[in-house]
Amino acid sequence: MHNKELKLGLEKILEGNNCWMDLVKNDKTGRFQQLAKGQNPEILWIGCADSRVPANELTGTKPGEVFVHRNIANICVHSDMSMLSVLDYAVNVLKVKHIIVAGHYGCGGVTAALSRQQYGIIDNWLCHIKDVYRLHAKEIDAIESMEAKTDKLVELNVREQVFNLCTTSIVQNAWKIDQPLAIHGMVINISTGQLIDLNNTFISNESLGKVFAFK
Ligand code: CO
């Protein structure tokens, strides 16, 4: 029984791939042959790993247009080698012009961070969100409904992660040589599909604190 269920799940994926192969085969633009040679995306998307927020579908973009990194609650910490490697490759090799940190309302990671429940190893990852809460505890505590508290922290978390990206040596060095690079904070409303710009875009060092801007 168990095995049968597993097999059915996999078959669905392979059938889906057959549809995709048909689409590739019938494509007359030659874009897939072009893509097979390399990529040249202008956008790096850093989003939540949540299955409901796929970068391409949400933005109407095609394969080759968005370089993607996703983790639980779209966190950007300076010690995460995976995130730093994606960022370095995107900025220094692909020369993307935009980085979008995309959170989403109802984020399970943010909800968990606002609770006292233990979930396992992930609790340590979620501490990064509890840190964001700590910076804005007064504002969040003043909100009554749990849902609204979570959504506020979702927005504040995006802003914090955008700031964290700005202060990486990778982004700092790009700005130092006047490489055009804008970092945006956005939030997805899953029920309407809307991608909301938080108007929290950084394009230079100017508004960062003094210690963050390397010479
Ligand atoms: Co999430």
Side-chain angles (χ1 to χ4, degrees), residues 48 50 104 107-108:
C48 183
D50 193 301
H104 66 100
C107 182

Side-chain angles (χ1 to χ4, degrees), residues 47-53 71-74 102-110 154 190:
C48 183
D50 193 301
S51 62
R52 300 166 296 176
V53 286
N71 63 36
I72 289 175
N74 42 273
H104 66 100
Y105 293 127
C107 182
V110 175
V154 163
I190 292 177

